Amino acid sequence: MTAYTATVTVRLKHGVLDPEAETTQQALERLGFELADLRSADRFEIDLDAESAEAAADRVDEMAERLLANPTIHDYDVAVEER
């Protein structure tokens, strides 16, 4: 078994209201920053042991599908690195 760290980034799908990002974007614009768009995201870092990076990614993908993200309103990305 090899030790891996998987990072899952969960964000709302385009078209789903993101009030946190909207508020943050307005605050940044009031501070003088020009933005085309801003989206908020949650990031989860998971340490796990697996036979391969692919096996680790498969396990973490299942975690995301079952708990970390709601596939109806969220998109997510999984990145796996050996530690």
Side-chain angles (χ1 to χ4, degrees), residues 3-72:
Y4 294 96
T5 297
T7 303
V8 181
T9 304
V10 179
R11 67 184 61 79
L12 291 168
K13 290 183 176 186
H14 286 288
V16 176
L17 293 179
D18 189 347
E20 180 181 4
E22 187 177 320
T23 301
T24 303
Q25 181 173 349
Q26 290 170 356
L28 287 168
E29 288 171 345
R30 280 193 300 274
L31 291 171
F33 296 100
E34 293 183 28
L35 306 173
D37 194 20
L38 181 86
R39 296 190 319 159
S40 63
D42 291 322
R43 178 177 150 168
F44 301 92
E45 292 183 3
I46 302 166
D47 293 334
L48 69 157
D49 294 329
E51 294 294 328
S52 66
E54 184 177 292
D58 288 345
R59 284 183 54 203
V60 172
D61 189 66
E62 183 180 358
M63 293 176 197
E65 285 286 328
R66 294 180 64 185
L67 179 69
L68 302 177
N70 176 345
T72 304

